[in-house]
Amino acid sequence: MMNYLITLKYDGSGFHGWQRQENAITVQECVEAAAEKLFGEKISVTGCSRTDTGVHANCFKCNFRTEKIFSLEKIVTGMNFYLPVSVAVTDAESVREDFNARFDCKKKEYIYKIYNGKVRDPFSINKAYFHKYPLDAELMNTEAKDFIGTYDFSAFCAAGATTKTNVRTVFDAGVERQGDFVIFRVEGDGFLYNMVRIMAGTLIYIAEGKIEKGTVPQIIASMDRLKAGKTAAPEGLYLNKVYY
């Protein structure tokens, strides 16, 4: 039995997230359909994460098992032949039979892109969150550092989550300006439902003066979702790196 790990990048604008659903088009559904056409058998794909509707990935890892042995080059070219243009396989590798893309993941990095120009950018539609009022990226960077550490992040978790614990470790976090873009980057061992988008929304609220600067530690300690900022729009979020 072969176990293949593939790396994807995708534009999530036209998908209802990664996870397969009954009445919606998802990335997992498209990847499984492409794999089944290539390998000529039923394929079940395990993803490293569950991205939501409209969320993108610069690097998404998933694995699947098959009795057939294909060259890694053929897997990349063959999968891309059958995939829609908004999804691409960038790499493939053979991994041990018990490898699981989700449970063997050690940490992930997400970025949240804000287009902070005075006028909307047509080329950033569905690819970044448009915020026309000036944002102080240096202030946001300072505030983002308070996310680093091991905490109960219940204040940054949307309702409806079913995790056993809301304790997560954030290894690094920061904000930088790249021209008209403000980029929030965060790396952790795992993330709660909408956690990164709520973090981004909280930093935006701090920059706007709607939340007092220096209060991120108190918000975390409160474990109260109402203390944190808005849930930022999905189109700005990208799964950026996955580590094993």
Side-chain angles (χ1 to χ4, degrees):
M1 177 72 72
M2 298 299 297
N3 190 7
Y4 293 109
L5 175 68
I6 60 175
T7 304
L8 308 171
K9 59 170 51 180
Y10 57 81
D11 173 357
S13 305
F15 296 100
H16 285 71
W18 162 261
Q19 191 77 5
R20 188 190 313 106
Q21 298 180 34
E22 287 287 333
N23 300 305
I25 298 175
T26 67
V27 182
Q28 183 181 23
E29 174 188 347
C30 291
V31 172
E32 288 180 339
E36 288 171 9
K37 290 176 181 176
L38 179 62
F39 286 90
E41 62 183 69
K42 187 71 174 177
I43 298 288
S44 178
V45 175
T46 300
C48 64
S49 184
R50 296 183 178 184
T51 57
D52 293 331
T53 299
V55 173
H56 315 292
N58 290 324
C59 175
F60 188 99
K61 303 280 190 176
C62 55
N63 73 288
F64 59 88
R65 295 172 179 81
T66 174
E67 296 287 351
K68 296 183 178 178
I69 300 175
F70 280 15
S71 72
L72 301 180
E73 181 180 0
K74 182 176 180 179
I75 292 173
V76 173
T77 57
M79 290 283 290
N80 285 331
F81 178 81
Y82 292 113
L83 282 167
V85 294
S86 53
V87 184
V89 175
T90 60
D91 187 51
E93 58 186 295
S94 178
V95 290
R96 67 180 192 274
E97 189 172 344
D98 64 345
F99 179 89
N100 184 290
R102 178 183 176 189
F103 295 116
D104 285 331
C105 180
K106 301 301 182 186
K107 59 181 180 178
K108 301 170 189 169
E109 179 186 85
Y110 282 88
I111 61 172
Y112 192 87
K113 298 177 68 173
I114 304 166
Y115 182 71
N116 194 215
K118 293 181 180 179
V119 178
R120 67 180 181 274
D121 174 19
F123 298 104
S124 296
I125 301 299
N126 295 326
K127 304 297 189 302
Y129 169 59
F130 174 47
H131 187 90
K132 67 180 180 179
Y133 301 105
L135 293 172
D136 185 340
E138 291 186 7
L139 168 63
M140 293 170 73
N141 181 59
T142 299
E143 297 296 309
K145 300 304 179 185
D146 284 332
F147 290 128
I148 299 173
T150 301
Y151 307 109
D152 184 319
F153 280 98
S154 294
F156 296 86
C157 180
T162 57
T163 51
K164 293 181 180 179
T165 175
N166 288 345
V167 175
R168 297 291 186 273
T169 298
V170 172
F171 301 114
D172 195 17
V175 176
E176 64 176 346
R177 177 174 288 279
Q178 298 176 3
D180 284 332
F181 288 92
V182 172
I183 311 294
F184 168 50
R185 187 181 307 271
V186 60
E187 180 185 282
D189 62 354
F191 295 91
L192 303 171
Y193 182 40
N194 284 351
M195 179 173 163
V196 179
R197 290 167 58 191
I198 297 170
M199 285 175 159
T202 300
L203 293 175
I204 291 170
Y205 269 20
I206 291 172
E208 292 177 329
K210 294 178 180 177
I211 292 178
E212 187 177 350
K213 62 183 180 181
T215 58
V216 167
Q218 292 95 308
I219 295 171
I220 294 173
S222 75
M223 295 186 288
D224 182 356
R225 172 67 188 90
L226 297 178
K227 301 290 186 182
K230 65 180 179 180
T231 302
E235 62 264 25
L237 185 61
Y238 294 72
L239 177 56
N240 198 50
K241 295 180 182 178
V242 183
Y243 299 88
Y244 292 99

